[in-house]
Amino acid sequence: MNNLNAVGNIGSDAEVRFTKEGTAIASFSFALSSGYGDKKKTTWLRCSIIGKRGETLAPMLNKGSQVAITGEISLNEYVAKDGTNKSSLECLVSNVTLLGKKDAAPREAAKANAYQNQPLDELESDIPF
């Protein structure tokens, strides 16, 4: 099974294009950081969301926003215009969770998403009136 789960920052605003058949494809670059200090490294992925979901999410997928993605990752190898062999990592995204802006505190984002998967009756018990 090929499954990527990652949290990172969007590197470019999402762009929506359409296939000849009219299917929407939202694409954006995604920065995945690892390590810290002098050992910090950023890996870039090209992400795509196909269909109505991509078209709907595109306006919210802005440069600098922190997101969690789940999807299928692949390595695309190609020959550049200058004749050199190149490769890029690509992810066909199946799920996106919006976490906030790059500078937003992770705890704040966690609070914002805390109620996302709770049943309605549990939410109503938290209402103070």
Side-chain angles (χ1 to χ4, degrees):
M1 176 189 264
N2 177 353
N3 194 34
L4 169 73
N5 294 305
V7 174
N9 295 311
I10 295 178
S12 62
D13 291 349
E15 296 178 17
V16 178
R17 287 181 262 182
F18 294 88
T19 64
K20 291 178 185 177
E21 294 79 26
T23 304
I25 301 174
S27 299
F28 58 94
S29 59
F30 180 80
L32 181 58
S33 297
S34 59
Y36 58 93
D38 294 340
K39 305 267 186 200
K40 188 170 183 175
K41 179 182 172 186
T42 301
T43 302
W44 289 93
L45 291 91
R46 188 74 191 151
C47 296
S48 299
I49 307 171
I50 298 175
K52 186 71 175 164
R53 175 183 278 176
E55 189 175 4
T56 303
L57 284 172
M60 295 174 262
L61 300 173
N62 300 312
K63 181 177 181 176
S65 295
Q66 188 177 45
V67 296
I69 61 170
T70 300
E72 185 176 321
I73 193 166
S74 62
L75 180 66
N76 180 28
E77 296 176 333
Y78 60 96
V79 178
K81 291 179 183 177
D82 64 3
T84 59
N85 291 329
K86 302 277 185 174
S87 61
S88 65
L89 285 173
E90 298 183 0
C91 183
L92 180 57
V93 177
S94 58
N95 192 26
V96 176
T97 302
L98 304 172
L99 300 176
K101 290 290 182 189
K102 182 177 181 179
D103 297 330
R107 191 173 293 164
E108 297 298 322
K111 286 180 187 176
N113 289 320
Y115 295 114
Q116 184 174 339
N117 296 320
Q118 288 187 2
L120 186 56
D121 57 341
E122 288 181 29
L123 289 175
E124 290 175 353
S125 66
D126 290 342
I127 300 174
F129 49 88

